[in-house]
Amino acid sequence: MRGILIYSLLCATLLGGCGEATTENQAVMPDKDTVADSVMLVEDETIYFPIDSATNYNTLYLTTYHDSLSGRRYLVYQADGKNSIQFYDFDSRKLVKEIVFSKFGPHGIPRVTGFYVFNPDLLLVLSGHARKLYLADGRARVLQTYSLLKGDESAATSMALFTTGNEPFIVGDTLYLHALPDRSPYYRGYHIQRIDLRTGHHEYMGRFPDIYEKLGGWHNMFTHVYKYYDKSAGRLISSHSGSRYLYAGPLANTLRERYYAGSRYFDDAAPIKQDFDNTNYHYLTQNLYGQILYDPYRQVYYRLAQLAIEPFNEHGAYRKIEDQPLTIIILNKELQKIGETLLPEGKYFYRTLFVEKEGLYIAATNYKNPQLREDRLAFTLLKLQPKE
């Protein structure tokens, strides 16, 4: 009876289909910048959300949630150090609900590493390192647990993890999660994990494009991937950190199409300069493509890119990833590039961007930002405007 009740809670929000990734096909032209920018992003106001002393001003994961009944919208924030999920009223900027999860016991979640909001009283909560997914209510009670272990883990699999640039999504009864292949070379793994919420059965899918095979893989460039699922078209759009293209296709073939979406500030992702086994060095010495977001209010896509820098400062110490300049590539709904804006340095945090009706928001919490304060979240609005 309990299982039937839990499944009935999910049924109202689940809609149909699944598939397997297969082959990569031909590029869609053009293959480079061919027209002048017609739009640009312009800085507007910065909004603030007061936080307590135990909440970090940067997080691995946040999203927005719109309540269709009340019309209220929320910023839903993962408080990493507190093992909690916070709901802020987006318009009043006030914290209105916080779900704090115990790490132990029958309702324990060892470490929150992402979530999916059905509503403020029903969520899916991920604990990637524990390889578990939990259905939980708004009182932090675990209603059901899904194991994400599959077969012989020593053979290498993919660890699920949500980040702001990788929103989970549901098709039918199946939840699709971002996954980190824990194998070498990285690009021979899968970057999607799907789980049937009725049965708990899960599988890996999502291939990497052949650019990594040609360049030798892990020791020549980073292979992160960011995704957006277009429900209306039934296709996944993915931004691979080492490729100037965006890839698109149905879940049965996520590499079916590719579209030029490169930056004018570099030709392609640059190989590392030396074979250093250091994650920070890999990041700093490469041009990297980041997350892809869709703006339904203006019907455009935004693609983030990080520009390579010298890894050491004048004192010989490693610089930080936040020192990399950021640029945002703008594409229309047909995935044709229509603009690109280079952002001011030392202001923004590369990991956190989201779209709301006002425009594109980016976290103004770079450690160099003179307006940075530890008692508030800060997001600067970037408005899309025609370029004169």
Side-chain angles (χ1 to χ4, degrees):
M1 178 64 70
R2 183 171 180 269
I4 294 173
L5 176 60
I6 290 169
Y7 181 62
S8 68
L9 291 172
L10 296 174
C11 284
T13 55
L14 305 183
L15 296 168
C18 61
E20 286 291 344
T22 54
T23 57
E24 178 180 344
N25 292 345
Q26 295 296 313
V28 174
M29 299 301 286
D31 199 32
K32 59 182 179 180
D33 287 351
T34 57
V35 296
D37 290 358
S38 60
V39 295
M40 61 186 297
L41 290 166
V42 178
E43 293 175 310
D44 199 271
E45 66 173 338
T46 299
I47 62 174
Y48 303 99
F49 295 79
I51 57 176
D52 60 37
S53 59
T55 300
N56 196 319
Y57 56 79
N58 282 324
T59 183
L60 187 66
Y61 185 63
L62 64 78
T63 190
T64 56
Y65 170 76
H66 291 207
D67 189 321
S68 59
L69 296 178
S70 68
R72 294 178 73 179
R73 54 181 178 160
Y74 299 91
L75 178 77
V76 192
Y77 191 86
Q78 180 176 298
D80 299 328
K82 298 178 70 176
N83 213 45
S84 76
I85 298 171
Q86 302 171 337
F87 288 76
Y88 294 86
D89 184 291
F90 193 88
D91 296 297
S92 71
R93 319 286 193 242
K94 294 180 180 179
L95 178 66
V96 295
K97 182 182 181 71
E98 182 169 21
I99 308 171
V100 182
F101 294 96
S102 171
K103 293 186 177 182
F104 308 100
H107 297 288
I109 298 178
R111 179 183 175 189
V112 175
T113 57
F115 54 87
Y116 180 95
V117 181
F118 292 108
N119 59 62
D121 292 311
L122 187 66
L123 306 91
L124 286 165
V125 182
L126 177 69
S127 185
H129 296 82
R131 306 288 181 121
K132 290 183 179 179
L133 180 72
Y134 305 85
L135 182 67
D137 66 16
R139 297 170 62 183
R141 297 178 301 188
V142 173
L143 307 177
Q144 186 166 330
T145 301
Y146 301 91
S147 172
L148 299 181
L149 292 172
K150 186 176 179 66
D152 181 7
E153 295 300 299
S154 66
T157 56
S158 297
M159 184 181 75
L161 178 69
F162 298 170
T163 63
T164 306
N166 274 302
E167 297 269 17
F169 60 93
I170 289 178
V171 180
D173 299 315
T174 303
L175 176 74
Y176 292 81
L177 319 174
H178 174 60
L180 299 173
D182 47 7
R183 67 177 62 198
S184 182
Y186 187 104
Y187 64 88
R188 289 183 183 168
Y190 298 92
H191 59 80
I192 300 171
Q193 193 167 28
R194 66 184 185 200
I195 179 168
D196 188 317
L197 296 174
R198 297 168 303 171
T199 66
H201 176 75
H202 71 92
E203 295 180 349
Y204 304 110
M205 59 175 288
R207 293 290 189 182
F208 287 88
D210 62 8
I211 184 174
Y212 299 108
E213 190 79 45
K214 294 175 180 177
L215 289 172
W218 176 257
H219 290 295
N220 281 330
M221 67 165 55
F222 250 94
T223 50
H224 293 329
V225 54
Y226 304 86
K227 296 172 283 291
Y228 169 77
Y229 184 67
D230 180 353
K231 289 186 178 180
S232 63
R235 69 172 182 172
L236 187 76
I237 300 169
S238 54
S239 171
H240 292 261
S241 61
S243 177
R244 72 183 74 175
Y245 302 108
L246 288 174
Y247 292 82
L251 292 171
N253 185 359
T254 60
L255 300 176
R256 187 178 70 181
E257 305 159 6
R258 61 180 187 179
Y259 298 83
Y260 174 77
S263 172
R264 69 164 52 92
Y265 297 102
F266 57 94
D267 292 331
D268 219 329
I272 62 172
K273 297 178 180 178
Q274 298 180 50
D275 190 12
F276 277 19
D277 186 18
N278 184 296
T279 299
N280 196 57
Y281 188 90
H282 278 257
Y283 264 112
L284 295 175
T285 59
Q286 295 185 67
N287 299 300
L288 301 166
Y289 289 104
Q291 58 185 284
I292 176 77
L293 302 93
Y294 181 62
D295 183 340
Y297 305 97
R298 284 149 285 272
Q299 296 187 319
V300 297
Y301 290 90
Y302 306 112
R303 189 190 196 193
L304 184 72
Q306 298 166 243
L307 307 186
I309 57 175
E310 289 299 319
F312 300 101
N313 63 21
E314 64 274 18
H315 305 294
Y318 267 121
R319 298 172 74 181
K320 296 184 178 182
I321 294 170
E322 293 95 317
D323 291 325
Q324 290 183 283
L326 303 176
T327 182
I328 298 178
I329 299 155
I330 308 159
L331 306 105
N332 62 21
K333 62 182 179 179
E334 286 78 32
L335 294 177
Q336 299 166 329
K337 184 176 177 182
I338 56 174
E340 183 172 3
T341 299
L342 182 66
L343 299 181
E345 293 185 37
K347 293 183 68 173
Y348 300 121
F349 185 59
Y350 70 98
R351 183 181 286 158
T352 306
L353 298 91
F354 63 90
V355 173
E356 268 298 321
K357 63 182 180 181
E358 296 85 358
L360 176 66
Y361 285 95
I362 183 169
T365 48
N366 189 293
Y367 78 101
K368 286 185 175 180
N369 191 330
Q371 303 301 316
L372 177 66
R373 283 174 33 183
E374 295 189 0
D375 62 349
R376 67 188 185 186
L377 310 178
F379 304 99
T380 296
L381 173 63
L382 302 177
K383 283 193 169 182
L384 187 70
Q385 293 186 1
K387 188 171 183 179
E388 298 178 356

